[in-house]
Amino acid sequence: MKTKTLKKDKVNIITLGCSKNMVDSEVLSGQLLANEIDVVHESTKRDHNIVVVNTCGFIDKAKEESINTILEQVELKQRGKLDKVYVTGCLSERYRGDLESEIGGVDAWFGTMELPMLLKKFDADYKSELIGERLLSTPSHYAYLKIAEGCNRTCSFCAIPLMRGGHVSRPIEELVKEAEKLVRSGVKEIMLIAQELTYYGLDLYKQRRLADLMRALAQVEGLEWIRLHYAYPTKFPMEVLDVMNEFPNICNYLDMPLQHASNAMLKAMKRQITREEIEELVHQIRAKVPGICLRTTLIAGFPGETEDDVEELKGFLERMRFDRVGVFTYSHEEGTSAYELEDNIPAEEKERRAQEIMEVQQEISLEKNQERVGKVLKVIVDKKEAGRYLARTEFDSVEVDNEVIISTTKRLKPGEFVNVRITKAFDYDLEGELV
């Protein structure tokens, strides 16, 4: 039996939820590796003896997935396939007490800000000099760069501040250093993420500094694409668009979640903006950056939403013609101010409304894709699947947006940039040939 205790630990990290969680897992991996502990992401092999589940607690479906994953790992431990199961992340931060009393077999629970304590379980030290050292869980040609933690907004439906705390920006120098390290490791595209990008710098520099950060990152040698995710529409810093125009490696792409378009809903959601102001902002953005790709996300079935509100939202989409849209159904979250409202729309009705909204967008997406037929676009190759290559234009982010399908006998590498003439358009994808 002696040999078993001498076996070297190997840690498998399972990440659930958003790209911000993914970055946290990558940082944890970097720290473990620096402490000479073997670590993998989402391993399907059974050669690890410790699992860390990085959970999501954002909406009901995500919570369910997190709990099921924890239970699966605990069962493996009970069957002698694992020595330890640790749980961290948003769900653990938010419901630790309840989870501890209801799920046995987990060796320790940690919140979102307890990385040093988690490392202690491995007799490992948190090394602050390792800022920016990450073991990427994404393919090697793209990575997420988390520029801030938490959020200061009080949107009535959102539990993020309960799990992640207030907005804390990371210094520009630190982020540039991290971007340089990523590029040295082979990264070509960086996606800037935060709960709210446009608030960046207010806490640290007493003014919004997203434009300055973008300018600094755009000058990192070898960084080919920079993409902006999760911009808040209220008090949008327009100078960001000037920098977008200034540097060719900043993608003409903006992900700006709007959540709704009916003034009654925007007010109930505490979004601090009206539909008229949103429409004016969209016109200004498009005037400043012609051809920009605008992505947004919307919520269907918020308490009190009427058929008129849904019709207003559909009319808004038809007028605004966003390039990319995602629709979520409302999730009733404890601790949010909307939790005091009656969740009065049945789940199947929320789904029906979401579907109806997406049908409007589907038509717009197809029309916009058809406009690209015959055009030559620069794309980044992501992978080869079923004998064809899947790539993306600067107008498409990873996993959430359109793909360009390329059939060719030429060998292409992930992360390679090629020019493609678009030959065919579908609802959400394009097909093209190498130029």
Side-chain angles (χ1 to χ4, degrees):
M1 286 306 286
K2 273 271 168 70
T3 51
K4 193 173 181 206
T5 56
L6 292 173
K7 198 180 83 177
K8 199 172 183 302
D9 285 336
K10 185 169 187 180
V11 183
N12 180 28
I13 301 176
I14 299 171
T15 308
L16 304 162
C18 67
S19 48
K20 294 184 280 295
N21 251 18
M22 192 188 284
V23 172
D24 291 346
S25 290
E26 293 173 352
V27 170
L28 168 61
S29 314
Q31 291 282 343
L32 288 170
L33 278 179
N35 281 279
E36 297 182 357
I37 294 161
D38 208 358
V39 60
V40 286
H41 287 289
E42 316 273 348
S43 175
T44 48
K45 291 182 195 162
R46 287 265 181 261
D47 61 348
H48 51 270
N49 65 320
I50 298 174
V51 164
V52 177
V53 183
N54 188 358
T55 58
C56 177
F58 186 45
I59 55 174
D60 289 339
K61 283 177 190 163
K63 288 187 240 181
E64 200 176 305
E65 186 189 12
S66 291
I67 288 166
N68 288 340
T69 305
I70 298 166
L71 293 172
E72 279 162 21
Q73 299 309 311
V74 166
E75 194 197 329
L76 286 172
K77 183 186 158 188
Q78 284 163 348
R79 282 168 37 208
K81 307 274 187 195
L82 291 172
D83 295 336
K84 303 268 185 204
V85 175
Y86 297 121
V87 178
T88 184
C90 292
L91 190 80
S92 185
E93 173 77 37
R94 198 171 166 197
Y95 299 109
R96 189 183 318 198
D98 296 344
L99 292 166
E100 277 177 339
S101 60
E102 284 173 35
I103 300 176
V106 171
D107 293 274
W109 303 82
F110 300 94
T112 51
M113 302 296 178
E114 293 178 337
L115 176 58
M117 273 113 97
L118 175 49
L119 289 169
K120 282 273 179 281
K121 290 286 176 190
F122 297 92
D123 293 323
D125 289 322
Y126 176 73
K127 299 177 190 290
S128 53
E129 71 274 14
L130 282 182
I131 284 170
E133 292 288 349
R134 292 153 51 183
L135 174 67
L136 291 185
S137 56
T138 56
S140 59
H141 61 282
Y142 64 80
Y144 295 96
L145 185 63
K146 182 154 64 163
I147 70 169
E149 189 57 87
C151 186
N152 283 7
R153 298 285 173 188
T154 54
C155 301
S156 64
F157 54 84
C158 185
I160 295 289
L162 302 173
M163 299 180 282
R164 293 273 175 180
H167 182 102
V168 182
S169 303
R170 294 176 59 200
I172 291 175
E173 309 72 54
E174 195 180 288
L175 291 162
V176 169
K177 226 178 248 176
E178 185 168 337
E180 286 168 347
K181 279 181 185 170
L182 289 167
V183 170
R184 279 199 299 274
S185 74
V187 168
K188 305 277 177 62
E189 174 185 14
I190 277 177
M191 285 155 279
L192 302 192
I193 54 168
Q195 203 46 46
E196 184 193 339
L197 279 191
T198 39
Y199 197 89
Y200 176 78
L202 263 177
D203 55 319
L204 202 54
Y205 306 109
K206 305 296 168 257
Q207 55 178 315
R208 292 174 189 260
R209 294 284 301 272
L210 179 60
D212 294 337
L213 172 64
M214 288 162 62
R215 193 173 276 115
L217 290 171
Q219 292 171 74
V220 170
E221 212 168 312
L223 184 49
E224 301 238 15
W225 276 0
I226 297 165
R227 190 180 295 287
L228 304 184
H229 274 286
Y230 321 126
Y232 194 85
T234 309
K235 295 185 178 162
F236 181 85
M238 298 302 278
E239 63 274 15
V240 160
L241 304 172
D242 298 327
V243 183
M244 202 177 265
N245 283 329
E246 200 180 323
F247 292 95
N249 59 345
I250 298 176
C251 296
N252 287 343
Y253 178 98
L254 185 64
D255 184 345
M256 188 164 64
L258 296 171
Q259 315 305 4
H260 219 286
S262 131
N263 282 333
M265 286 294 98
L266 290 167
K267 191 176 176 186
M269 290 177 175
K270 298 188 178 170
R271 293 292 287 169
Q272 303 169 323
I273 197 165
T274 63
R275 194 204 72 240
E276 293 78 10
E277 287 166 339
I278 291 172
E279 293 194 3
E280 177 56 29
L281 175 63
V282 170
H283 292 315
Q284 284 176 357
I285 290 170
R286 283 180 169 153
K288 267 207 158 191
V289 185
I292 190 171
C293 171
L294 284 178
R295 170 178 181 80
T296 194
T297 43
L298 305 163
I299 295 174
F302 186 85
E305 183 186 61
T306 64
E307 284 294 348
D308 285 350
D309 293 323
V310 178
E311 287 308 312
E312 190 172 343
L313 181 49
K314 282 153 63 178
F316 168 79
L317 284 183
E318 279 163 356
R319 284 195 308 282
M320 293 294 102
R321 295 179 66 77
F322 289 98
D323 302 83
R324 315 278 180 256
V325 174
V327 182
F328 294 93
T329 54
Y330 170 74
S331 178
H332 208 42
E333 296 297 318
E334 310 95 313
T336 63
S337 59
Y339 197 66
E340 292 159 25
L341 304 171
E342 190 195 344
D343 186 14
N344 60 351
I345 299 164
E348 51 280 9
E349 175 59 18
K350 288 177 187 173
E351 290 292 351
R352 188 193 65 77
R353 291 179 186 188
Q355 188 56 38
E356 218 174 89
I357 294 160
M358 272 319 288
E359 277 164 18
V360 172
Q361 182 56 30
Q362 193 173 347
E363 212 166 292
I364 295 165
S365 180
L366 177 61
E367 286 164 13
K368 288 201 164 231
N369 279 349
Q370 283 166 339
E371 287 164 17
R372 298 207 186 275
V373 172
K375 295 198 167 126
V376 174
L377 301 173
K378 175 183 169 181
V379 301
I380 189 168
V381 177
D382 276 333
K383 59 186 169 187
K384 190 175 187 181
E385 212 173 72
R388 306 171 311 168
Y389 290 97
L390 299 180
R392 286 175 295 113
T393 69
E394 71 170 296
F395 312 113
D396 298 289
S397 197
V398 177
E399 289 180 352
V400 291
D401 292 329
N402 295 1
E403 288 179 317
V404 180
I405 302 154
I406 311 165
S407 296
T408 178
T409 50
K410 194 178 169 198
R411 213 167 145 260
L412 303 177
K413 294 194 301 284
E416 190 179 338
F417 285 91
V418 291
N419 289 324
V420 169
R421 180 175 285 104
I422 304 303
T423 54
K424 215 176 200 178
F426 306 98
D427 291 346
Y428 296 115
D429 293 312
L430 298 166
E431 208 169 279
E433 56 194 22
L434 291 182
V435 174

